[in-house]
Each structure stands twice: as C-alpha cells, then as structure tokens.
Amino acid sequence: MLKVPLAEAKNKLTELIRQVEAGKQVVITKRRKPAARLLSEATYEQLQKRLAVAGLQALRDRWRAAGIKAQDLHQESRRLLEERT
C-alpha cells in the first residue's frame, strides 16, 4: 500500500491514478493520518455489488424473522402494481 501526503498527491494525481488502475492501493494522508483512499473503478463496482448483496441478505433475514414468505411478497407487489394502473 502506497501512502502519499495530500500535497504530494495534488502534484502526482495522474501517476497515482495509473498506479491504482494497475492494482496498487493508494492512501492519501493529511498530517500523517489516512484521509482518503483511491480505488479503481473495478474495485468500486465490486464493493457496490457486495454492499447490495449484503443489503438483500439482511432484508431476507428480516422477512424470515417476520414470517413473510416469497409468495406473500409476490402477491403484495402484484397488488401494488395493479393499484398504480
């Protein structure tokens, strides 16, 4: 992992982005403490997908705990769609 002070990062942004695209991790520091992290677009998309899946799993667990079944959700969603039209 590459740690770069903010002042240096301002001057080397293009180079840092190239390094991130090549797979390196870059942390930008401010007063020697981590302030930001550069991510490639591919890494960002992977994280977004993981968050979405985790959210769906948590929602599924809540439905199960409440005794709601997939068939109930399907019927209710159809009813709501029909009300819109």
Side-chain angles (χ1 to χ4, degrees):
M1 176 176 17
L2 180 62
K3 292 184 179 182
V4 181
L6 178 59
E8 185 179 333
K10 288 179 184 179
N11 296 325
K12 296 184 176 182
L13 185 58
T14 301
E15 178 187 331
L16 293 174
I17 289 174
R18 285 188 187 123
Q19 290 183 17
V20 168
E21 289 174 331
K24 280 197 173 184
Q25 294 183 13
V26 176
V27 174
I28 298 173
T29 60
K30 189 174 180 182
R31 296 187 189 111
R32 298 186 188 136
K33 294 182 181 177
R37 186 176 304 261
L38 294 178
L39 299 173
S40 68
E41 185 63 22
T43 300
Y44 177 77
E45 287 177 6
Q46 286 175 347
L47 290 172
Q48 289 296 90
K49 287 177 185 177
R50 287 182 189 172
L51 285 172
V53 168
L56 287 172
Q57 289 171 338
L59 191 54
R60 179 199 61 202
D61 293 343
R62 286 177 44 207
W63 289 338
R64 282 184 178 168
I68 299 171
K69 297 181 178 164
Q71 183 178 358
D72 300 332
L73 291 172
H74 177 71
Q75 289 173 351
E76 181 64 11
S77 64
R78 287 189 60 92
R79 186 187 67 74
L80 290 171
L81 283 173
E82 288 173 3
E83 283 181 3
R84 286 184 170 178
T85 57

